[in-house]
Amino acid sequence: MEAIDRLKEIVGKDFVFTSPEETLLYGRDGGSTPPRRVDAVVIPGSVEEVQEIVKFASKNNIPVTPAGAGLTLNGLTIPLHGGIVVDMRRMNRILEVNRLSRYVVLEAGVTQGFLLSYLKENHPDLMHSIPEAPPTATVVGNLLIKGHGTQAFYGENSDMINGLEVVLPTGELLYTGSLSVSKYWFTKGPLPDLTGLFISWFGTTGIVTKASLRLFPRPAYRDSVMFMMDQPEYIPELIYEITATRLFDNIGMLGQDLPEYLKGHQFVGAMISGNYEEEIKLKKEIISRVAEKFGGKVLLIPEIPDSIKKRFMEEPPFAAVAADFRKGGGFQYCGAMIPLEKVPEAWRKGEEIAHKYGFYFSCANQVLAFGHEVMFGFNYSFNRADPEEVERVGEAMKETNDLVLSLEGIPWKADFYAQQRILAKMFPETYRLIQKIRKTLDPAGIMNPGNWEKEE
Amino acid sequence: MGLEEYREIIHRCFRCGYCKLTSDYNWRGFNCPEYNRFKVESYSPGGMLWLSYAAFVTGELKPDQHLSEIIYSCSMCGNCSAQCRFKFGTMVTEMLRRTREEIVENHPELIPSIVKRFFQNVFKYGNPYGSVEENENLKSEIPLFNEQEYLLFISPLSFFDPLVTESALSLIRLFKKLNISFGTPGYEEICDGNEILMLGEKYLFKEIKKRNIEFMHSKGVKKIVTYSPHTYNAMKNYYKLEGIEVLHYTQLLAEKVKKIRIKERFDKKITYHDPCFLGRYNGIYEEPRKILRYVAEENFVEMPRNRENSFCCGGGGGNFYTDFVGGGKDSPPRVRIREALSTGAEVVAVACPICKMMLTSGVKDEAADLNVLDISEILLPLL
Ligand SMILES: Cc1cc2nc3c(=O)[nH]c(=O)nc-3n(C[C@H](O)[C@H](O)[C@H](O)COP(=O)(O)OP(=O)(O)OC[C@H]3O[C@@H](n4cnc5c(N)ncnc54)[C@H](O)[C@@H]3O)c2cc1C
Ligand code: SF4
Ligand code: SF4
């Protein structure tokens, strides 16, 4: 009880929640992860409050899990060992937009939707790379998991970070990137790169309170070109050829068993943009010509139905619709970073796993940069009111994660099981260094314990 | 009944949170006034659906008074239903209302005491506040209904809250000036039942509805006009009145506005706050604007969140009385007043007694230099 009183002193009594009806939702998410215990939810309003929270938790060995909107679906904001969940969404100011150097500085709780609408209203010529996650997802949560979005041509969203403000597990404040040296937060800097200490670490190295993120010119027009085939084996070469045109913003792939007429086909969509109608026309024409290289095996879809176009072009697209495919509110996907050449095998084996566990096959994939990596999303929609089905998704997810590793890929935003499998495969010195870094930054071991450490 | 009808639907919520936003994800803040005030998932539309599912469908969560208070903090503003992107989206607010019915019917021990008091007072006195002391001022000006064209309901709130008395009086005076043939039930007017329904007491609602309909029939009413959008909503959508037309007063005025001669234009910058039970619930967005544009012309400005995306004043679903949402910097009326100030407006026009009460309290708490006036109060001095 004393701990709760102290937390209330830090953030104010209105922002500490301990009753079952207030903590329950932080112990579960829209995926199949079984619910876990949360002792308190704390919602700080300032950097100083975050500092005091971690100092207090560190002194008293209380586990701390930072959370944005909790939308990874893989249980990453559900503490493995109870303790405090720090919901960052009260810190939601957009602090600066530098138009010429094209970056925004924002607090950790700013959502994708708010940044999108803020830019549209105040800087209509600028945009950020928007993921397909619901607009309530936080920008920082997405950056910290190596997210990706509409500007995948430029790389992953985490590649677009200029720097972070971080409260370290011992309470000190750190700046990474140029802000540590300059007034302008415009680059990671020609400096030893500390930003990476917080990306894909799942909150085990500190709590990010601010980020500087690169913005891009918002084009006047957007459109897409869509290809279809019935053998995934053509995909790697097709992607290679499309990327070789250097004319796309973003390339996505889709495949699903339903509706029936889509079954057995693969769809590849290239998103393009430009400031002139002629530019769009020309880009479309050049990208369309790629199909000619495949001797009729890859078809160009001349008129993309509006519903499919919307699925690709909306900002962000309503990808969450998958949660209602089984009229059950449950959705989880094993997103995996795999090499381009492994796409066909992932596709075929993914289909087998989905069918083996009694699910319809569905995948939504994204090409990152110029095909340097592919995020392959093996999707599972399920009925969360059916415990047997929830368990089956869990099993299917495990097998999918194993498949990914066997294909030399790496599960993205890895859940606890996938983390264990990755760590088991990891080069021992790499693992040891990860643990050394954690021990140095977080001597009390309070930050999201259990993540990125081998189960005893 | 309670949640019965929705047992196979309520778990379909994915907790993606579209329901917390406006359709354009307006960055000014979350558009669920409850979540925006409390900032914790339990007080969000999806969060409440999950809690309701855990407490009343699977039984994983033991329902208690606190859960009940969370569920009653919702102002029933309807934003969640308007914004949820799923096929069942239109049912979201209704599922929250049904959760209250579930509490009232199957867990009466969990009904918060202030909600019980609301029910008891409405049952006994016909309004949530208790026995009515007649206000001479109002009484002398209220024409009683006696076969005029319209029966005007001014809401029993007019008998209790001086702010509402003022605007009800100005509506009555305005109608008189415009030679509208109308009468009121006078001090016989009882609650419309809208809040009773929103608070989950459907049997008491039926009783109130019966009493009101009996009154209408006994007087041979053909047309009704209401001051409160809450009354409008209840009578229009739930009373199933045959042969009786129901209008909100802004509809009636909008019809006549072009013929109304005004001495001068309204010379202050003015904005309009959409009441949820007029706007989102009944799609009446343009009529109030038609009047305001006519009287204020270019002095009329929109708030960034308007029409379907309007931010609720926080008073609906009984909250003007129960106040589960509470005060503080992010209380709904204060948030809305800050938004009104951001437009440079000097006046916020309203068309609902509850919005007037709530927003006026917001002005006070924000120490804002701003007036909250009912549309009738804006129009009357110009005639
Ligand atoms: C339907 C759907 C579609 C999606 N599509 C995409 C997509 O196209 N691209 C994509 O990249 N992602 C996608 N996602 C995945 C994910 O939801 C997003 O990446 C999202 O942006 C994560 O943000 P969040 O606020 O939910 O983060 P959270 O889930 O809250 O957090 C993510 C991780 O970061 C940590 N964390 C969060 N905030 C902080 C902080 N301030 N400091 C330290 N650690 C922190 C958490 O502990 C957790 O480990 C999708 C999700 C859904 C549900
Ligand atoms: S009510 Fe609809 S929009 Fe809101 S969280 Fe649930 S599914 Fe998403
Ligand atoms: S009705 Fe309004 S207050 Fe209630 S949950 Fe929905 S958006 Fe929030």
Side-chain angles (χ1 to χ4, degrees):
Chain A
M1 254 359 251
E2 273 168 35
I4 300 304
D5 289 343
R6 174 67 192 126
L7 290 169
K8 285 184 177 168
E9 256 172 45
I10 297 171
V11 297
K13 66 176 179 17
D14 281 0
F15 297 109
V16 177
F17 300 89
T18 52
S19 73
E21 47 279 354
E22 289 159 342
T23 54
L24 179 115
L25 301 171
Y26 290 82
R28 54 190 69 192
D29 66 15
S32 69
T33 306
R36 294 194 285 257
R37 188 190 90 239
V38 172
D39 296 306
V41 178
V42 178
I43 309 190
S46 69
V47 177
E48 293 73 26
E49 288 178 9
V50 177
Q51 287 177 294
E52 289 306 312
I53 294 167
V54 289
K55 275 189 211 161
F56 173 74
S58 171
K59 218 163 114 194
N60 295 282
N61 289 314
I62 302 170
V64 172
T65 303
L71 282 167
T72 63
L73 308 178
N74 284 345
L76 294 184
T77 55
I78 308 178
L80 285 159
H81 299 291
I84 304 169
V85 172
V86 180
D87 180 334
M88 295 299 290
R89 287 174 290 180
R90 205 173 132 216
M91 294 173 65
N92 61 359
R93 289 175 305 163
I94 296 172
L95 298 167
E96 181 193 350
V97 172
N98 185 316
R99 183 174 156 267
L100 284 182
S101 297
R102 290 196 176 105
Y103 65 84
V104 58
V105 178
L106 42 74
E107 290 185 323
V110 172
T111 63
Q112 298 288 345
F114 289 171
L115 179 58
L116 176 66
S117 100
Y118 182 86
L119 291 175
K120 277 191 175 168
E121 189 174 320
N122 299 294
H123 300 275
D125 55 345
L126 293 175
M127 68 184 294
H128 73 295
S129 180
I130 305 157
E132 292 195 359
T136 44
T138 62
V139 175
V140 163
N142 178 262
L143 297 178
L144 297 184
I145 57 164
K146 261 170 87 75
H148 45 80
T150 43
Q151 307 298 296
F153 162 82
Y154 301 105
E156 287 157 0
N157 294 353
S158 33
D159 298 335
M160 301 163 190
I161 301 176
N162 289 324
L164 301 172
E165 177 190 83
V166 190
V167 172
L168 295 174
T170 38
E172 294 94 341
L173 198 63
L174 173 81
Y175 293 104
T176 74
S178 56
L179 195 70
S180 62
V181 178
S182 150
K183 276 199 311 206
Y184 291 89
W185 215 354
F186 65 110
T187 173
K188 267 191 191 136
L191 301 168
D193 183 5
L194 295 177
T195 299
L197 280 176
F198 306 96
I199 295 172
S200 291
W201 288 76
F202 303 160
T204 57
T205 44
I207 302 187
V208 173
T209 42
K210 289 187 190 81
S212 169
L213 173 68
R214 290 195 170 169
L215 300 172
F216 300 93
R218 176 176 274 283
Y221 300 97
R222 291 170 69 224
D223 208 332
S224 56
V225 180
M226 183 99 52
F227 302 93
M228 178 182 129
M229 67 222 83
D230 54 16
Q231 286 181 36
E233 280 68 24
Y234 296 110
I235 289 177
E237 276 302 322
L238 176 65
I239 302 286
Y240 190 78
E241 293 295 336
I242 299 173
T243 48
T245 65
R246 308 171 61 106
L247 296 176
F248 64 98
D249 281 6
N250 180 16
I251 301 173
M253 296 170 225
L254 272 181
Q256 53 197 52
D257 283 352
L258 286 180
E260 189 65 29
Y261 60 83
L262 295 183
K263 193 173 175 171
H265 299 302
Q266 300 84 39
F267 298 87
V268 172
M271 267 44 81
I272 52 175
S273 67
N275 288 329
Y276 303 95
E277 284 185 50
E278 309 89 275
E279 188 187 351
I280 293 284
K281 207 169 144 216
L282 195 61
K283 281 185 175 178
K284 271 180 96 167
E285 219 173 279
I286 296 170
I287 293 184
S288 301
R289 262 185 240 149
V290 168
E292 291 163 14
K293 301 193 176 180
F294 292 83
K297 302 290 186 193
V298 172
L299 303 177
L300 181 74
I301 304 181
E303 262 318 304
I304 308 168
D306 279 349
S307 58
I308 295 192
K309 218 174 202 172
K310 195 170 172 206
R311 169 65 187 78
F312 278 112
M313 309 288 289
E314 196 184 356
E315 289 180 324
F318 180 37
V321 67
D324 207 36
F325 285 166
R326 306 264 302 157
K327 294 199 172 25
F331 177 57
Q332 191 168 9
Y333 64 104
C334 169
M337 299 303 169
I338 61 171
L340 181 56
E341 50 265 58
K342 295 291 183 179
V343 168
E345 216 178 328
W347 206 294
R348 294 207 182 276
K349 293 198 165 141
E351 267 176 344
E352 278 170 28
I353 296 175
H355 296 158
K356 174 178 157 188
Y357 286 92
F359 295 104
Y360 290 113
F361 172 68
S362 159
C363 71
N365 319 325
Q366 174 140 32
V367 175
L368 300 173
F370 279 70
H372 294 97
E373 53 184 323
V374 172
M375 191 292 292
F376 199 105
F378 304 84
N379 297 343
Y380 299 100
S381 302
F382 60 95
N383 180 1
R384 82 184 170 92
D386 178 352
E388 186 276 325
E389 196 166 301
V390 178
E391 208 179 309
R392 231 174 335 119
V393 174
E395 292 306 309
M397 280 289 295
K398 283 182 183 161
E399 195 165 330
T400 315
N401 280 311
D402 290 341
L403 166 70
V404 169
L405 284 161
S406 77
L407 293 174
E408 301 301 330
I410 304 168
W412 168 52
K413 55 185 172 72
D415 62 15
F416 181 70
Y417 174 84
Q419 286 177 33
Q420 293 301 317
R421 303 303 303 235
I422 294 169
L423 295 178
K425 210 182 162 196
M426 188 176 271
F427 184 64
E429 203 46 50
T430 309
Y431 179 67
R432 270 195 290 275
L433 183 59
I434 290 174
Q435 301 316 315
K436 267 192 225 165
I437 292 170
R438 285 185 65 176
K439 193 82 199 147
T440 308
L441 291 176
D442 180 16
I446 54 159
M447 295 304 300
N448 217 351
N451 279 279
W452 289 136
E453 51 193 357
K454 286 182 184 167
E455 203 175 12
E456 306 261 290
Chain B
M1 288 288 280
L3 265 175
E4 204 49 46
E5 240 178 273
Y6 293 95
R7 281 179 169 263
E8 301 300 317
I9 298 176
I10 192 163
H11 66 272
R12 285 167 67 182
C13 164
F14 180 45
R15 213 140 58 75
C16 51
Y18 280 89
C19 49
K20 293 174 185 166
L21 307 172
T22 61
S23 60
D24 55 357
Y25 317 139
N26 198 302
W27 56 272
R28 284 168 183 81
F30 289 102
N31 218 37
C32 164
E34 185 187 0
Y35 175 72
N36 191 58
R37 158 73 180 80
F38 290 98
K39 318 260 184 251
V40 69
E41 274 297 294
S42 323
Y43 291 81
S44 70
M48 282 189 286
L49 291 180
W50 280 46
L51 289 180
S52 176
Y53 178 66
F56 302 117
V57 181
T58 65
E60 279 169 273
L61 180 69
K62 194 173 168 304
D64 62 9
Q65 274 285 340
H66 187 224
L67 174 81
S68 182
E69 282 170 18
I70 293 174
I71 301 291
Y72 275 108
S73 304
C74 156
S75 67
M76 292 276 128
C77 74
N79 184 70
C80 44
S81 267
Q83 300 306 337
C84 172
R85 297 281 302 262
F86 289 90
K87 286 199 180 117
F88 58 84
T90 50
M91 303 175 208
V92 173
T93 315
E94 177 62 6
M95 286 195 269
L96 296 173
R97 196 189 70 74
R98 290 300 185 101
T99 302
R100 294 164 173 202
E101 273 191 17
E102 179 72 29
I103 292 172
V104 170
E105 279 177 41
N106 300 327
H107 305 270
E109 70 288 358
L110 302 184
I111 307 173
S113 55
I114 190 151
V115 174
K116 272 190 202 149
R117 189 166 359 122
F118 195 111
F119 294 155
Q120 282 161 356
N121 281 343
V122 169
F123 180 68
K124 231 163 128 181
Y125 305 106
N127 72 70
Y129 293 107
S131 77
V132 181
E133 275 179 37
E134 298 191 355
N135 172 328
E136 282 312 315
N137 225 354
L138 189 63
K139 197 174 173 190
S140 65
E141 293 206 41
I142 301 182
L144 292 182
F145 185 82
N146 184 17
E147 296 190 356
Q148 295 97 325
E149 188 178 358
Y150 292 100
L151 170 64
L152 168 69
F153 283 98
I154 56 168
S155 164
L157 292 180
S158 315
F159 308 147
F160 295 93
D161 189 295
L163 283 169
V164 183
T165 313
E166 241 172 75
S167 36
L169 268 172
S170 86
L171 183 62
I172 288 166
R173 290 173 191 153
L174 181 67
F175 272 22
K176 285 181 181 167
K177 271 214 160 163
L178 296 175
N179 291 322
I180 294 171
S181 157
F182 76 102
T184 73
Y187 278 99
E188 270 188 68
E189 179 169 342
I190 58 163
C191 165
D192 47 64
N194 195 63
E195 304 318 287
I196 296 291
L197 192 67
M198 297 299 147
L199 289 166
E201 223 323 342
K202 72 170 183 208
Y203 296 106
L204 180 55
F205 173 73
K206 272 190 191 156
E207 171 62 26
I208 293 291
K209 171 177 147 183
K210 195 169 126 253
R211 287 195 224 166
N212 272 320
I213 293 180
E214 274 169 11
F215 178 82
M216 292 172 203
H217 286 164
S218 72
K219 302 280 179 186
V221 173
K222 294 275 178 300
K223 291 179 182 177
I224 286 170
V225 59
T226 76
Y227 164 32
S228 172
H230 297 245
T231 315
Y232 176 79
N233 185 57
M235 294 187 178
K236 178 86 183 167
N237 300 319
Y238 295 95
Y239 276 31
K240 299 204 171 67
L241 296 171
E242 277 175 28
I244 301 181
E245 187 187 355
V246 184
L247 290 176
H248 182 252
Y249 83 87
T250 54
Q251 291 177 297
L252 187 59
L253 292 181
E255 242 175 58
K256 301 184 182 294
V257 75
K258 288 274 152 66
K259 289 185 212 130
I260 300 176
R261 292 246 172 102
I262 51 175
K263 291 187 290 211
E264 55 190 347
R265 296 284 170 222
F266 192 72
D267 63 354
K268 293 200 172 102
K269 204 159 176 191
I270 185 168
T271 188
Y272 172 64
H273 166 79
D274 288 275
C276 304
F277 283 100
L278 199 58
R280 269 191 290 265
Y281 276 78
N282 287 294
I284 300 174
Y285 296 115
E286 297 315 318
E287 288 86 338
R289 288 178 168 78
K290 193 171 163 191
I291 304 163
L292 292 170
R293 278 206 204 92
Y294 178 67
V295 299
E297 294 183 345
E298 65 282 358
N299 275 333
F300 175 71
V301 287
E302 289 287 1
M303 279 196 260
R305 289 180 285 183
N306 60 65
R307 296 185 173 82
E308 196 185 50
N309 287 326
S310 179
F311 183 77
C312 166
C313 72
N319 256 290
F320 70 96
Y321 182 91
T322 56
D323 197 25
F324 288 119
V325 181
K329 182 176 131 293
D330 287 329
S331 75
R334 289 184 66 175
V335 170
R336 192 58 166 162
I337 288 303
R338 291 199 294 273
E339 186 171 348
L341 284 171
S342 77
T343 66
E346 300 158 273
V347 172
V348 184
V350 289
C352 166
I354 293 176
C355 295
K356 187 172 182 204
M357 288 159 58
M358 295 300 290
L359 294 182
T360 305
S361 80
V363 167
K364 218 178 280 162
D365 293 342
E366 283 289 306
D369 190 9
L370 197 72
N371 256 330
V372 180
L373 294 175
D374 190 81
I375 289 183
S376 63
E377 292 170 298
I378 290 162
L379 197 50
L380 185 65
L382 304 176
L383 298 188

